[in-house]
Amino acid sequence: MTVPVLSCLVLPDQAPAEFLARVRDAEQAGARTVWTYDHLSWRDLADGPWFSTVPLLAAAAGATSTVRLGAQVATPNFRHPVPFAKEVMTLDHVAAGRLDLGVGAGAEDADARVLGQTPLSRKERGDRFEEWATLLATLLEQDRTEFHGSFYSARDARMIPGCVQRPRVPLTVAAAGPRSMRLAARLGSAWVTYGPYRQSPPPQEWLAAIAEQSRSLDTAIAQVAPGRRIRRIAQVALDEARPFRDADTYRQFAENVAAAGFDELTVHWPRPDGRGVPAAALDMVVATHHGP
């Protein structure tokens, strides 16, 4: 049976030299994409080092030659679409067209509060994300953009020379609900899910949940973009180690992810704190996806 393509996440809480070393290791291991988180701080790692996503991706572009690179996921919590589009366009040139961009509504966590903004309702957050993502995609596709919305405006916003990738850098949309699924169907080249939000169910329950989410994406595509093909990415949580117990367990897990309709499986690269893929299991994971 087939297994999904392997991609990985390297968190930006390591010194840049260490971050780049892990990105190069992942490239040599055959990962399709190396993603990194796009936050200003993150949960239980908030009191430690945490570096900025865009400069790290630019450095990674210069330190690699084949692997794709991406943010997972950028949100309107602290990103304004006009200056961020300029950074994304520039990154696509630095990476010679190897950039992917994950986008999502953003959690109601520290990133949502750091700028002192008035808290938004769930509907307002959905409205803001739809406007933000639509404007971001438009900016990346056009030399000049005029836009006046409820949350954002762009007056004669220039994006010259535009992205290396045409019509723009591909967006990977994080979505779970019907509305965000429709946005993924309309704007996304790919869709990513983490499974049930902030839960850690047993692997079989997690697999059932992502399979149901994948069927929901099918419904959204049928509604707004019949016939579109969107790459589907499943991401294993940072603290989830059960699928990596042994080679047979992991292969069955990866095959089940593929059977649920997913093209790509994202794992966290082994970390000094022991989270992510256990270091002893890394060769097993790589071999499962690429052979010995």
Side-chain angles (χ1 to χ4, degrees):
M1 294 182 64
T2 60
V3 297
V5 170
L6 178 67
S7 61
C8 69
L9 272 155
V10 179
L11 271 62
D13 64 332
Q14 303 161 60
E18 292 298 320
F19 177 88
L20 295 178
R22 285 169 173 77
V23 171
R24 287 191 293 267
D25 287 345
E27 179 180 52
Q28 292 172 5
R32 178 197 183 271
T33 310
V34 175
W35 304 94
T36 193
Y37 285 8
D38 190 38
H39 295 287
L40 296 178
S41 62
W42 194 70
R43 299 183 190 173
D44 61 316
L45 300 176
D47 292 328
W50 193 270
F51 294 92
S52 180
T53 302
V54 170
L56 283 179
L57 288 176
T64 59
S65 59
T66 60
V67 71
R68 294 188 65 82
L69 304 164
Q72 194 73 286
V73 297
T75 78
N77 275 339
F78 62 90
R79 296 285 191 191
H80 189 287
V82 174
F84 188 50
K86 183 73 76 170
E87 292 181 334
V88 171
M89 181 198 75
T90 303
L91 271 177
D92 199 37
H93 282 263
V94 174
R98 291 185 287 125
L99 183 67
D100 284 313
L101 180 63
V103 297
E108 300 173 28
D109 57 9
D111 283 350
R113 301 186 296 269
V114 69
L115 299 181
Q117 301 161 323
T118 302
L120 301 178
S121 68
R122 180 166 295 183
K123 180 184 183 303
E124 289 171 329
R125 293 175 70 81
D127 291 343
R128 184 181 67 168
F129 176 50
E130 186 166 5
E131 184 174 301
W132 180 87
T134 301
L135 176 53
L136 181 65
T138 301
L139 287 160
L140 292 171
E141 291 179 6
Q142 300 182 169
D143 289 346
R144 179 184 296 183
T145 298
E146 288 282 341
F147 181 87
H148 303 284
S150 300
F151 297 90
Y152 302 102
S153 293
R155 178 173 296 176
D156 193 25
R158 309 293 183 97
M159 295 292 157
I160 301 172
C163 299
V164 173
Q165 301 175 85
R166 296 294 180 171
R168 56 168 163 76
V169 167
L171 300 183
T172 294
V173 181
R179 182 177 181 180
S180 56
M181 287 285 195
R182 290 192 294 271
L183 185 66
R186 181 166 62 87
L187 294 180
S189 297
W191 161 68
V192 62
T193 180
Y194 323 106
Y197 185 61
R198 287 193 178 177
Q199 297 179 30
S200 183
Q204 288 304 316
E205 290 183 21
W206 182 83
L207 286 162
I210 65 169
E212 179 60 31
Q213 289 176 333
S214 184
R215 289 189 288 271
S216 295
L217 181 62
D218 290 336
T219 299
I221 293 171
Q223 290 172 343
V224 303
R228 280 204 75 201
R229 173 74 175 93
I230 297 176
R231 195 172 80 257
R232 302 176 192 218
I233 306 170
Q235 180 177 311
V236 180
L238 176 63
D239 294 311
E240 178 57 80
R242 287 169 289 188
F244 310 109
R245 186 177 58 202
D246 55 53
D248 289 341
T249 298
Y250 183 73
R251 171 163 284 280
Q252 186 62 62
F253 174 76
E255 289 176 353
N256 289 342
V257 170
F262 286 81
D263 309 286
E264 189 169 328
L265 180 59
T266 304
V267 301
H268 290 77
W269 201 249
R271 293 172 46 80
D273 61 9
R275 299 159 84 177
V277 175
L282 181 60
D283 289 345
M284 170 194 78
V285 169
V286 171
T288 298
H289 292 273
H290 301 289

